[in-house]
Amino acid sequence: MSRKLRMGMVGGGPGAFIGGVHRKAAAIDGKIELVAGAFDIDPAKSMAMGRELCLDSSRVYSDFREMIAKETALPAERRIDFVAVTTPNNWHFPIAKAFLEAGFNVMCEKPMTMTLAEAEELEQVVKRSGKVFGLMHNYPAYPMVKLARDMVKSGRLGEIRKVVVQYAQGWLARAIEKQGQMQASWRTDPKQSGAGGCVGDIGTHAENLAEYVTGLRITDICAETTSFIPGRPLDDDVNVLLKFNNGAKGILHASQISIGEENGLRIWVYGSDAAIEWYQEQPNHLTFKPLDKPVEIWSRGNGYVGEISPAAARGTRVPAGHPEGFLEAFANNYSNFADTILSKAAGKEPDALMNDFPQVADGVRGMAFIEAVVKSAKSDRKWTKFE
């Protein structure tokens, strides 16, 4: 195509965080432009958001159903190419399903649905529709995470023996949901968030990162969940033992009551020959620890990174020493998602580098993980199958 892909958005209205992140990230590479949206459950707020974004008022809708009906009625050369779903969790499934069935590609926030059954149903909808579906796990899109994955895949670590992954935050250490804090209110509400609180919000990021980097699958878990804040109905701290399909063992820790922590996503992978470590708050470096040799710090943007990982090179925009981070990781997923849509529109199958973004199968894994953690915790921390 000799034009930008036309993007619609559901969610991301006034006061929302993640919708703004999606809008900024989607625009970074110049492949996508936002042209329409239903930004808030309140039509007046949706229209206000549309004005703030300088959109044509006729393309700002009161809800996603009106958006589907009116966008479908537009000529093909005007209607949206895809929609980004950036609402609270309880709306992900019905919105994504409706747009897919109406013939639109979808980019969806995580966790993908409220239940595993919904996730499995949505997977079938994606297959029937033939449309492109992306799931916004942004952390695997960091260049140095892609380098880590490719180091593991090439055998530089030897046989993987142990995986430790954590995601520590402290922002829910007080009951701020009772003070009207919007982000806290919906994340701690089972009707909007689902069966998992911390485990669904950030624990799924840790699970997804562990499987992406190692190329392994978690098979069994033993979990403990806690709600430290009195009256909070969902977990705010999670500790999980892991077993992987190659015999490796692991530990996953996710917390939103760890005071002093901001966005402490970190992973350590230990092999028989070497280990790697990556820290999201310092994302431009990967630590490589070979056995009986000096520790190496690999830096994003250098030619030696691209020699090992073309995917890392593809996701790098500026030279070494100029930091790239959170927004660029979102943009990497959007870039690959857009290229996949364009490739399919041209009747071609996307290559492996284009297709390197989280998809519906990752969403099913995430929901299976949430349900397995909740089941294990309720069964007095017994080992639970996760396959």
Side-chain angles (χ1 to χ4, degrees):
M1 290 187 184
S2 58
R3 62 171 179 82
K4 296 182 180 182
L5 289 182
R6 293 181 290 269
M7 172 183 177
M9 177 171 282
V10 180
F17 163 67
I18 205 66
V21 171
H22 278 255
R23 289 191 289 267
K24 294 181 181 77
I28 283 177
D29 291 314
K31 299 177 182 180
I32 295 167
E33 61 178 336
L34 180 69
V35 300
F39 300 104
D40 197 279
I41 200 166
D42 180 341
K45 290 182 178 179
S46 181
M47 190 59 68
M49 194 73 243
R51 287 193 296 270
E52 183 178 326
L53 296 170
C54 301
L55 296 182
D56 178 347
S57 61
S58 69
R59 304 288 291 277
V60 181
Y61 304 107
S62 59
D63 60 47
F64 76 92
R65 296 178 184 85
E66 180 192 20
M67 183 174 173
I68 290 172
K70 291 190 175 179
E71 287 294 317
T72 302
L74 290 173
E77 65 272 15
R78 289 196 62 210
R79 73 174 73 111
I80 60 171
D81 295 294
F82 76 92
V83 67
V85 183
T86 66
T87 63
N89 303 349
N90 57 312
W91 286 104
H92 293 177
F93 173 69
I95 294 171
K97 181 175 184 287
F99 273 93
L100 287 164
E101 290 178 338
F104 295 99
N105 303 294
V106 173
M107 174 64 80
C108 186
E109 255 303 318
K110 45 61 51 196
M112 189 167 74
T113 58
M114 290 283 277
T115 67
L116 177 57
E118 285 183 347
E120 291 171 339
E121 181 180 347
L122 191 61
E123 185 174 36
Q124 295 306 309
V125 173
V126 172
K127 289 178 180 177
R128 288 196 302 269
S129 72
K131 310 309 291 184
V132 180
F133 181 92
L135 184 72
M136 191 50 84
H137 277 295
N138 60 302
Y139 300 110
Y142 281 91
M144 301 312 278
V145 173
K146 295 189 182 298
L147 173 63
R149 175 201 59 181
D150 291 340
M151 280 185 162
V152 171
K153 188 184 295 185
S154 68
R156 285 174 176 252
L157 275 66
E159 182 185 2
I160 303 305
R161 292 172 169 173
K162 185 162 186 175
V163 181
V164 179
V165 61
Q166 70 169 41
Y167 200 152
Q169 298 176 337
W171 72 292
L172 288 178
R174 297 289 184 269
I176 58 174
E177 63 269 27
K178 296 181 180 178
Q179 300 167 9
Q181 211 277 9
M182 186 172 72
Q183 300 300 322
S185 295
W186 76 258
R187 282 178 167 85
T188 57
D189 178 6
K191 293 180 180 178
Q192 297 183 77
S193 190
C198 174
V199 65
D201 193 26
I202 61 175
T204 51
H205 277 310
E207 166 266 324
N208 179 261
L209 185 66
E211 293 198 332
Y212 182 85
V213 170
T214 65
L216 302 174
R217 288 173 72 85
I218 301 166
T219 59
D220 300 85
I221 67 168
C222 181
E224 177 185 55
T225 63
T226 307
S227 296
F228 278 101
I229 303 303
R232 181 173 285 166
L234 293 175
D235 58 275
D236 48 34
D237 188 82
V238 180
N239 299 287
V240 189
L241 297 176
L242 310 171
K243 293 180 183 179
F244 291 85
N245 61 336
N246 75 329
K249 303 299 173 65
I251 301 168
L252 185 152
H253 153 63
S255 177
Q256 292 177 311
I257 51 82
S258 294
I259 290 175
E261 299 292 344
E262 294 177 345
N263 270 285
L265 176 61
R266 198 166 197 155
I267 187 167
W268 298 259
V269 180
Y270 301 97
S272 56
D273 299 325
I276 52 175
E277 176 183 349
W278 180 78
Y279 185 29
Q280 194 269 154
E281 292 185 7
Q282 298 173 8
N284 290 284
H285 299 94
L286 178 72
T287 303
F288 179 70
K289 306 174 184 178
L291 182 65
D292 296 331
K293 294 180 181 178
V295 171
E296 302 173 6
I297 307 297
W298 291 55
S299 180
R300 183 211 54 78
N302 285 287
Y304 58 77
V305 172
E307 291 174 6
I308 302 298
S309 176
R314 177 181 168 87
T316 298
R317 294 170 181 79
V318 296
H322 297 285
E324 287 187 311
F326 187 71
L327 287 174
E328 290 85 355
F330 274 78
N332 284 341
N333 278 344
Y334 266 113
S335 179
N336 288 347
F337 174 74
D339 285 349
T340 297
I341 291 173
L342 293 170
S343 181
K344 285 182 173 290
K348 302 176 182 178
E349 281 302 309
D351 63 34
L353 291 177
M354 286 181 193
N355 210 37
D356 186 14
F357 61 93
Q359 300 180 33
V360 69
D362 298 283
V364 174
R365 289 293 286 169
M367 291 313 305
F369 176 73
I370 293 170
E371 293 200 1
V373 167
V374 171
K375 181 180 178 181
S376 175
K378 287 182 177 178
S379 64
D380 196 23
R381 298 179 296 280
K382 291 181 180 178
W383 281 101
T384 302
K385 285 288 181 185
F386 167 45
E387 294 181 290

